[in-house]
Amino acid sequence: MTAAIQDIPQKTMSDGCAVMNREEIYNLIKVFFTEEALLNAIAAGQIAEGDVVVLPFQGPAGGPGMPEMLTPTDAIKGAGYQRVALITDGRFSGATSGLSVGHVEMEAYNGGPIAAIQNGDIIDFDVPQRKMDVRLTPVQIRDRLLAVKAPERKLPRMLETFRKTYTGINCYGKEATPK
């Protein structure tokens, strides 16, 4: 799975992502489906320098609402980590620190490949070449996506409506590719 990346704060590239800060690159993946689960792992010392934490299902439909990822990046920095990266289909503000890859399109909730990433996968970043590659074959991605189930979240009516608005499209209105 290869994605184009762009090193422009607060801008995104359709079917790609935005990288908020360039730093040295890491590659062992740990996946968390909620901010709370990530914060608990940080508190329990389950994150190591060099890890890449992935927070899928944070995009417009999956979040829903595309929550801002300041809490996860602040928690990583506040815990004293110097070399932990974050990848999400959520969004970042200008206050993000560390290597942060956000706005990943297509989002996990709509069948995007970020949903295929699992604990222990390896990812390679080449920021100067604007590439990010998870070491998975297209067949592995397809098979994993067929088995993915979005985490259930109890939502108020307004967020249910918001989720329906963005189900099947990305945040720019582009239709999702069916699984």
Side-chain angles (χ1 to χ4, degrees):
M1 174 178 86
T2 301
I5 58 178
Q6 192 167 348
D7 188 31
I8 302 174
Q10 298 183 19
K11 295 227 177 195
T12 60
M13 185 162 52
S14 186
D15 294 319
C17 54
V19 176
M20 295 300 290
N21 291 297
R22 287 187 190 190
E23 291 191 1
E24 296 199 18
I25 311 308
Y26 339 100
N27 62 9
L28 182 62
I29 292 175
K30 293 184 178 171
V31 179
F32 301 92
F33 293 101
T34 65
E35 281 187 22
E36 181 181 10
L38 173 57
L39 298 176
N40 289 340
I42 291 169
Q46 297 171 341
I47 306 297
E49 290 288 358
D51 284 348
V52 175
V53 295
V54 177
L55 262 171
F57 298 98
Q58 304 300 311
M66 204 169 194
E68 207 279 331
M69 296 285 107
L70 184 57
T71 299
T73 57
D74 275 356
I76 290 166
K77 185 176 183 178
Y81 294 109
Q82 300 295 311
R83 294 185 55 248
V84 172
L86 172 66
I87 300 174
T88 182
D89 48 9
R91 66 183 174 87
F92 295 111
S93 70
T96 301
S97 62
L99 179 66
S100 302
V101 179
H103 299 267
V104 173
E105 293 290 352
M106 183 59 67
E107 71 171 288
Y109 191 86
N110 287 327
I114 188 172
I117 297 173
Q118 296 177 357
N119 288 328
D121 286 345
I122 302 295
I123 187 164
D124 299 310
F125 290 97
D126 186 340
V127 175
Q129 293 299 312
R130 300 176 188 252
K131 292 184 181 177
M132 174 176 72
D133 186 43
V134 177
R135 296 182 192 174
L136 296 172
T137 67
V139 171
Q140 288 173 304
I141 293 168
R142 183 201 66 216
D143 291 349
R144 286 182 181 187
L145 288 176
L146 290 173
V148 167
K149 298 215 184 312
E152 290 188 28
R153 296 188 170 122
K154 187 165 177 76
L155 302 173
R157 184 174 295 162
M158 182 203 68
L159 287 180
E160 285 179 8
T161 301
F162 191 90
R163 173 174 275 169
K164 288 176 187 173
T165 300
Y166 283 95
T167 297
I169 62 171
N170 71 10
C171 61
Y172 310 104
K174 181 178 176 184
E175 287 189 32
T177 303
K179 290 186 193 181

